[in-house]
Amino acid sequence: MTAVLVSAGAFLMTLLGGFVAQRTGDRRHLVLGFAAGLMLGVVAFDLLPEAIHAAPGELHGVPQALLMFAGGFLAIHIVERSVAIHRGHEGEYAAHSHAHAHSPAQSGKQGVGLTAAGALVGHSLMDGFAIGAAFQAGSTVGTVVAIAVVAHDFADGFNTYTITRLYGNNRRRALALLTADALAPVTGAAITLSFTIPQHLLGLYLGFFAGFLLYLATSDILPEAHSPHPSRSTLLCTLLGVGFMWLVIGFAD
């Protein structure tokens, strides 16, 4: 039960991250730059090292976790390119018709945002698993893991709200996914009271999710952050995001 109680801290931090994301106003480019930095930091300093440690086996000379990392990157790339191709055809059709306010392409774009946010919810669920599993190994290990999870769940909440809105979804959907993301760690910790995920599968999942996040950060969020305001301040926010995650994960370890 300690793991479930500790995961309540992750719940509050996730909501706080989403709340901050809603209050950005005309500083959106700075927030997006910082969010991208946080995501890059999570991938480089947390997800990939943990994935390789949990799934160290190799396939044709390459760690399985890194293969899943590439798979996650390519999976979201394929989805996005499919949407872009569809959107191009919709544009051709629009030249002869004005009835495209809710085109399939736009719906597809929103679907990418929902899928991305859903993946973040899944990651938060795994955070809860991690807290529960760590406390099964001992209170000291559980406390260290909980600190790391609670600290970066602020970024999870921030990114869940930001990504959902970035892809054209309304505020109501973004808040619903933010709530789901906040509840996910508590749910995951509760599940571990009767179930523990195999370490190897956990590593493969983390590798896949790392590729997913890397694509979003580099192909979507960073270009969006720099397009309206190609400023040094946006770049500085990205560097601060990476550095912040480095400090958080370093102190937790």
Side-chain angles (χ1 to χ4, degrees):
M1 290 302 296
T2 302
V4 176
L5 294 175
V6 170
S7 65
F11 170 85
L12 295 175
M13 287 299 289
T14 302
L15 291 180
L16 178 61
F19 177 80
V20 171
Q22 295 180 62
R23 307 296 178 187
T24 56
D26 61 356
R27 297 182 296 277
R28 182 169 178 267
H29 62 292
L30 300 178
V31 172
L32 289 174
F34 187 69
L38 291 176
M39 293 166 75
L40 290 172
V42 169
V43 169
F45 310 138
D46 185 18
L47 294 180
L48 278 182
E50 182 62 30
I52 294 173
H53 175 74
E58 295 186 354
L59 184 62
H60 199 59
V62 178
Q64 295 176 12
L66 292 184
L67 290 174
M68 292 298 292
F69 169 71
F73 188 97
L74 292 174
I76 185 60
H77 176 64
I78 291 170
V79 170
E80 280 225 322
R81 289 303 90 202
S82 298
V83 170
I85 292 171
H86 197 162
R87 186 161 59 242
H89 289 310
E90 287 295 324
E92 295 171 6
Y93 175 77
H96 306 284
S97 172
H98 299 289
H100 65 287
H102 299 286
S103 68
Q106 179 63 21
S107 298
K109 184 179 180 182
Q110 291 175 352
V112 171
L114 294 176
T115 300
L120 284 166
V121 173
H123 173 57
S124 293
L125 185 68
M126 299 302 291
D127 282 346
F129 284 155
I131 292 175
F135 271 101
Q136 290 179 12
S139 59
T140 301
V141 176
T143 301
V144 171
V145 171
I147 291 172
V149 169
V150 170
H152 84 248
D153 268 356
F154 174 86
D156 283 350
F158 187 97
N159 291 333
T160 297
Y161 186 89
T162 301
I163 289 172
T164 306
R165 295 287 281 154
L166 178 64
Y167 281 89
N169 291 282
N170 59 35
R171 184 171 178 269
R172 183 178 178 180
R173 286 183 177 177
L175 289 175
L177 283 163
L178 174 63
T179 301
D181 192 39
L183 291 172
V186 181
T187 304
I191 290 174
T192 60
L193 296 177
S194 59
F195 173 79
T196 302
I197 188 171
Q199 185 180 29
H200 182 73
L201 292 180
L202 175 62
L204 296 179
Y205 167 81
L206 292 177
F208 184 89
F209 184 69
F212 196 95
L213 276 190
L214 181 66
Y215 183 88
L216 294 180
T218 57
S219 297
D220 288 341
I221 295 183
L222 278 178
E224 180 72 15
H226 286 281
S227 59
H229 299 278
S231 62
R232 293 181 180 178
S233 57
T234 304
L235 177 59
L236 177 61
C237 284
T238 302
L239 296 175
L240 287 174
V242 173
F244 175 76
M245 288 311 305
W246 181 27
L247 289 176
V248 167
I249 293 169
F251 281 128
D253 290 342

